[in-house]
Amino acid sequence: MIPVSLKDLAKELNLSVSTVSKALNDCYDISAETKRKAFALAAKMNYHPNPYATGLRKQNSKTIAVIIPEIANHFFSLAINGIESVAKDRGYHFLIYLTHEDYQKEIEITKHFQNGRVDGLLLSLSSETSNVAHIEELLSRGVKIVSFDRVSEKILTSRVNTNDFQSSYLATEHLIERGCRNIAFLSNSKNLSTNNNRMKGYIQALARHQLPVEDHLVFECTNDNDHNYQLISDILQRKNRPDGIFASVEKIAMTTYHVCHDLGIDIPKDIKILSFSNLEIASFLNPSLTTITQPAFEIGQEAASILFNLLEAKKNNSQILNKTLNSKLIIRNSTN
Amino acid sequence: MIPVSLKDLAKELNLSVSTVSKALNDCYDISAETKRKAFALAAKMNYHPNPYATGLRKQNSKTIAVIIPEIANHFFSLAINGIESVAKDRGYHFLIYLTHEDYQKEIEITKHFQNGRVDGLLLSLSSETSNVAHIEELLSRGVKIVSFDRVSEKILTSRVNTNDFQSSYLATEHLIERGCRNIAFLSNSKNLSTNNNRMKGYIQALARHQLPVEDHLVFECTNDNDHNYQLISDILQRKNRPDGIFASVEKIAMTTYHVCHDLGIDIPKDIKILSFSNLEIASFLNPSLTTITQPAFEIGQEAASILFNLLEAKKNNSQILNKTLNSKLIIRNSTN
DNA sequence: CTGTTAGCGCTTTCAG
DNA sequence: CTGAAAGCGCTAACAG
């Protein structure tokens, strides 16, 4: 690294460092001529200020952290696209951290933000997280946080998420209208706000249509695919097999699909599958899956905007916003 | 942000800032007792050094940039997983930048690394990039770079990629063995090393099996899906329709699948489709697609390792490495 | 309009 | 074993 610093420019221009600094920052009290020369030389020598020196002085870093459970998941990668689109416009950079759905890792990661590394944080909780003391600690230090998708009631931050309840209600209703009377819900993790809202939508739709809400139709899947496979396999081999499956996330829907394939169960004739999914091609490759697609990109954008506004607020305006964006129900195969 | 600094610790301990600094850095010339007290207080007060102050002093940032064309693409998100796994272990942080396959954006992004923001760069070129002066500029400034996947001969850095040529050769051969005699190659972008190597593998397999290599069987797709749809639609409505399609990337394979569906062409009976794809479920959802899966995670790991070694090399060891990792051919439906 | 000075939080000689 | 002082690159208050 052969950096060119303000000092180098100053020497070349026979000016003081501070004058050059002010010139390049277009301060009102610097002559037009000096500014011209400063900019010209800066361009010529390809000068770019050291962001960390500036940050140290200004007590900010113009960078944020994005903490997510995983990245090889279309929801989160699309959300990052949204975050990127607004970060770029507003002059912010972002660091990515992955918890891999692990509470301990989330805590470890959290420690990096105790001292100025980032101005703020975009956070989506791991499915293993129920205790949120590590987040509250950051908040008490004055770190600005906006939660998205996987939020917690206990964390007092602005939140951006999907209409999980409502879309689940509508989607479940859709299954009922297609004739399902015995719909199982494959839950993700009881710690997840998203999962719980989805389940509430499912339950309410059943209730609304006078269908029994049976405990034995709600199953808790885990992050262990083999376990899920076995569980679903058991469910589908019962005497009174469900005629509909609502999988709270895509991965579980895929496992269900897999099991059906292995057991020779015909989708959608024998069983109908409904799932949240942000992977366009999923519903396309297999038109018998009905999917709920979240506005992932917009969620990322919205969360980032709120955070940047918070960071740049003149007053310590800590108003908590709750934004809910609508998801779309995608039905490719409504016949039979 | 209410930060706790070395100064705060020093005051509390009635020691000088430099002593505390040395104590926490476990310097040999500090008494065990002092160290103990320093560590204890640091833990109690939740002290974490400001990374940018340290960086400014040590002239590094312990952060790298990852520049990729897009993130909602399984290859790149898996590669990021690999990068993350080694960055975490080696104490590095990473910033993500997306070019969106746009040469101008790539140039803009590149400007952020002229002055200390990152110690090094993991780079995968945009499909629009043919002139690489912006990268050479960084290199001449002493920025360490490792290229992966989308590399350029013109950029003299270590490179990590897949055995594109060989796997394409084998996959094409597989199509031939399944009876294809008229295989079209749907190219991605002529600027991409990956694409070109894949095409070479395809051509060589045809040649090896005494099949004519015909120009009119190689088609250039773009980033415009509608254009691709039209192009592929035209191809599949010719008199002598291809009996096999080799799509250089997943997105093009999906469009092909889509066109087949709309035209009522049966896969794999009427036509066989082969594609590079890192999305596990693609080959699963549609078993008639034969896919080549890249070791994306490992490529990320390998590239990151090489970069970190480079950054920490005592001598200015600028040896250029070229690593090629093997991809896997996944054939789920070899009947008919 | 320009320069001097101080300091952001940290590390690192060098003196004691 | 500990502390004073300098400085990484930059900005900002203040003096001239």
Side-chain angles (χ1 to χ4, degrees):
Chain A
M1 198 63 125
I2 309 130
V4 16
S5 70
L6 271 189
K7 212 199 262 183
D8 301 325
L9 296 187
K11 196 181 297 169
E12 191 78 12
L13 290 166
N14 279 317
L15 286 170
S16 76
V17 167
S18 62
T19 304
V20 181
S21 168
K22 281 187 277 190
L24 295 177
N25 285 308
D26 207 18
C27 252
Y28 65 94
D29 61 354
I30 297 291
S31 75
E33 177 60 9
T34 302
K35 283 183 188 171
R36 203 191 48 67
K37 283 200 279 192
F39 278 113
L41 188 66
K44 175 162 163 262
M45 294 181 70
N46 219 332
Y47 167 78
H48 293 261
N50 180 313
Y52 300 131
T54 308
L56 198 56
R57 189 57 235 251
K58 296 213 192 157
Q59 295 293 67
N60 68 19
S61 62
K62 285 287 197 175
T63 108
I64 62 167
V66 177
I67 305 176
I68 53 177
E70 46 173 346
I71 196 164
N73 169 316
H74 239 57
F75 172 77
F76 290 111
S77 53
L78 288 172
I80 289 174
N81 262 334
I83 293 166
E84 188 258 1
S85 76
V86 354
K88 174 165 52 69
D89 287 351
R90 300 189 56 164
Y92 281 84
H93 298 246
F94 60 95
L95 295 157
I96 297 276
Y97 296 88
L98 309 176
T99 60
H100 299 289
E101 306 282 15
D102 180 328
Y103 173 55
Q104 283 307 324
K105 287 201 182 113
E106 193 172 283
I107 291 181
E108 283 307 309
I109 288 167
T110 265
K111 294 191 182 143
H112 291 127
F113 314 126
Q114 304 272 166
N115 237 314
R117 170 158 264 131
V118 299
D119 298 343
L121 239 122
L122 255 22
L123 174 67
S124 203
L125 292 170
S126 112
S127 57
E128 304 296 331
T129 302
S130 56
N131 181 335
V132 295
H134 57 304
I135 307 298
E136 281 163 345
E137 160 80 22
L138 286 182
L139 242 19
S140 76
R141 286 254 188 158
V143 178
K144 307 293 187 194
I145 304 182
V146 172
S147 308
F148 70 103
D149 193 53
R150 307 227 198 135
V151 306
S152 164
E153 294 290 314
K154 297 181 237 164
I155 305 178
L156 296 178
T157 62
S158 288
R159 292 183 267 260
V160 181
N161 39 28
T162 324
N163 62 345
D164 287 303
F165 172 82
Q166 197 203 340
S167 52
S168 298
Y169 177 90
L170 292 173
T172 305
E173 199 164 53
H174 172 74
L175 284 192
I176 296 170
E177 283 162 3
R178 285 175 75 192
C180 297
R181 288 293 171 271
N182 192 22
I183 305 171
F185 183 83
L186 300 183
S187 146
N188 190 9
S189 161
K190 288 271 160 64
N191 288 324
L192 293 180
S193 54
T194 43
N195 179 76
N196 297 340
N197 290 329
R198 289 166 191 186
M199 190 160 91
K200 283 182 198 155
Y202 153 82
I203 289 174
Q204 181 128 340
L206 295 187
R208 174 81 178 66
H209 288 262
Q210 275 95 38
L211 289 175
V213 177
E214 318 208 38
D215 276 357
H216 65 271
L217 278 175
V218 173
F219 302 92
E220 188 149 8
C221 293
T222 67
N223 287 325
D224 176 354
N225 266 331
D226 294 337
H227 165 268
N228 296 344
Y229 184 96
Q230 196 53 54
L231 175 67
I232 296 168
S233 186
D234 290 348
I235 299 168
L236 295 187
Q237 288 179 87
R238 291 178 168 197
K239 304 160 287 288
N240 58 341
R241 186 171 69 200
D243 53 5
I245 295 271
F246 183 168
S248 63
V249 294
E250 181 174 277
K251 207 200 279 182
I252 296 176
M254 290 303 127
T255 304
T256 307
Y257 182 86
H258 202 153
V259 172
C260 288
H261 181 265
D262 292 353
L263 294 179
I265 299 173
D266 188 337
I267 311 170
K269 202 161 122 314
D270 300 336
I271 196 165
K272 296 183 181 30
I273 302 182
L274 161 67
S275 170
F276 270 81
S277 165
N278 301 287
L279 188 56
E280 298 157 58
I281 64 164
S283 69
F284 173 68
L285 281 175
N286 184 2
S288 56
L289 295 180
T290 293
T291 56
I292 304 175
T293 295
Q294 296 172 271
F297 183 87
E298 291 79 8
I299 288 178
Q301 280 190 314
E302 190 64 42
S305 296
I306 294 175
L307 180 59
F308 297 145
N309 289 343
L310 200 58
L311 294 177
E312 286 163 11
K314 296 289 173 286
K315 313 160 183 187
N316 214 341
N317 184 351
S318 56
Q319 196 194 344
I320 290 186
L321 302 171
N322 272 297
K323 289 252 182 181
T324 300
L325 307 189
N326 288 331
S327 41
K328 278 188 310 194
L329 192 58
I330 300 186
I331 303 158
R332 296 189 59 93
N333 187 352
S334 57
T335 61
N336 94 8
Chain B
M1 199 63 125
I2 308 129
V4 17
S5 70
L6 269 188
K7 215 201 264 183
D8 301 325
L9 296 186
K11 197 181 298 170
E12 192 77 12
L13 290 167
N14 280 315
L15 286 171
S16 74
V17 167
S18 58
T19 303
V20 181
S21 168
K22 281 187 280 191
L24 294 177
N25 285 308
D26 207 17
C27 250
Y28 65 94
D29 61 355
I30 298 290
S31 76
E33 177 59 8
T34 301
K35 282 183 187 171
R36 204 191 47 68
K37 284 200 277 192
F39 278 114
L41 187 67
K44 176 161 163 264
M45 295 182 68
N46 220 333
Y47 167 77
H48 293 261
N50 180 312
Y52 301 132
T54 308
L56 198 55
R57 190 54 234 256
K58 295 213 193 158
Q59 295 291 67
N60 68 18
S61 62
K62 284 287 197 173
T63 110
I64 61 166
V66 177
I67 305 175
I68 53 178
E70 45 173 346
I71 195 164
N73 170 315
H74 238 57
F75 172 77
F76 290 112
S77 54
L78 288 172
I80 289 175
N81 263 333
I83 292 166
E84 189 257 1
S85 75
V86 355
K88 176 166 51 71
D89 287 350
R90 301 190 53 165
Y92 280 84
H93 299 245
F94 59 94
L95 296 156
I96 297 275
Y97 296 87
L98 309 175
T99 60
H100 299 289
E101 305 283 14
D102 180 329
Y103 174 55
Q104 283 307 323
K105 288 202 181 112
E106 191 172 285
I107 291 181
E108 283 308 309
I109 288 168
T110 266
K111 293 191 183 143
H112 291 125
F113 314 125
Q114 303 273 166
N115 235 314
R117 171 158 263 131
V118 298
D119 298 341
L121 238 122
L122 254 23
L123 174 67
S124 203
L125 292 170
S126 112
S127 58
E128 304 295 331
T129 302
S130 56
N131 182 334
V132 294
H134 56 305
I135 306 297
E136 282 163 345
E137 160 78 22
L138 286 182
L139 242 19
S140 77
R141 285 256 189 158
V143 178
K144 307 293 185 192
I145 304 181
V146 172
S147 308
F148 69 103
D149 193 54
R150 311 246 200 112
V151 305
S152 163
E153 293 290 314
K154 295 182 238 161
I155 304 178
L156 296 179
T157 64
S158 288
R159 292 182 267 260
V160 181
N161 39 29
T162 323
N163 62 344
D164 288 302
F165 172 82
Q166 197 204 340
S167 52
S168 297
Y169 177 90
L170 292 174
T172 306
E173 198 163 54
H174 172 73
L175 285 192
I176 296 171
E177 282 161 3
R178 284 177 74 193
C180 298
R181 289 291 170 272
N182 192 22
I183 305 171
F185 183 83
L186 300 183
S187 146
N188 189 9
S189 161
K190 288 271 160 63
N191 286 324
L192 294 180
S193 54
T194 43
N195 180 75
N196 296 340
N197 290 329
R198 289 166 191 186
M199 190 160 93
K200 282 182 201 155
Y202 153 83
I203 289 174
Q204 181 128 340
L206 295 188
R208 174 80 177 63
H209 287 263
Q210 275 96 37
L211 290 174
V213 177
E214 316 208 39
D215 275 358
H216 65 271
L217 279 176
V218 173
F219 302 91
E220 188 149 10
C221 293
T222 67
N223 287 325
D224 176 353
N225 266 330
D226 293 337
H227 165 268
N228 296 344
Y229 185 96
Q230 196 52 56
L231 174 66
I232 296 168
S233 186
D234 289 349
I235 298 168
L236 295 187
Q237 288 179 86
R238 291 176 166 196
K239 303 160 287 291
N240 58 341
R241 186 173 70 201
D243 53 7
I245 295 270
F246 182 168
S248 63
V249 294
E250 180 174 278
K251 205 199 283 181
I252 296 175
M254 291 303 127
T255 304
T256 308
Y257 182 87
H258 202 153
V259 172
C260 287
H261 182 262
D262 292 353
L263 295 179
I265 298 173
D266 188 338
I267 311 169
K269 203 164 121 315
D270 299 337
I271 197 167
K272 295 182 180 34
I273 302 182
L274 160 68
S275 171
F276 270 80
S277 165
N278 300 286
L279 189 55
E280 300 157 54
I281 65 164
S283 69
F284 175 66
L285 281 174
N286 184 2
S288 56
L289 295 180
T290 293
T291 55
I292 303 174
T293 295
Q294 296 173 272
F297 184 87
E298 291 78 8
I299 288 177
Q301 281 190 313
E302 190 65 43
S305 296
I306 294 175
L307 181 58
F308 297 145
N309 289 343
L310 199 58
L311 293 177
E312 287 163 9
K314 297 288 171 288
K315 314 162 182 186
N316 214 340
N317 184 351
S318 56
Q319 194 193 347
I320 290 186
L321 302 171
N322 272 297
K323 289 250 181 181
T324 300
L325 307 188
N326 287 332
S327 41
K328 277 189 311 196
L329 193 58
I330 298 186
I331 303 156
R332 298 188 57 94
N333 187 350
S334 56
T335 61
N336 94 8

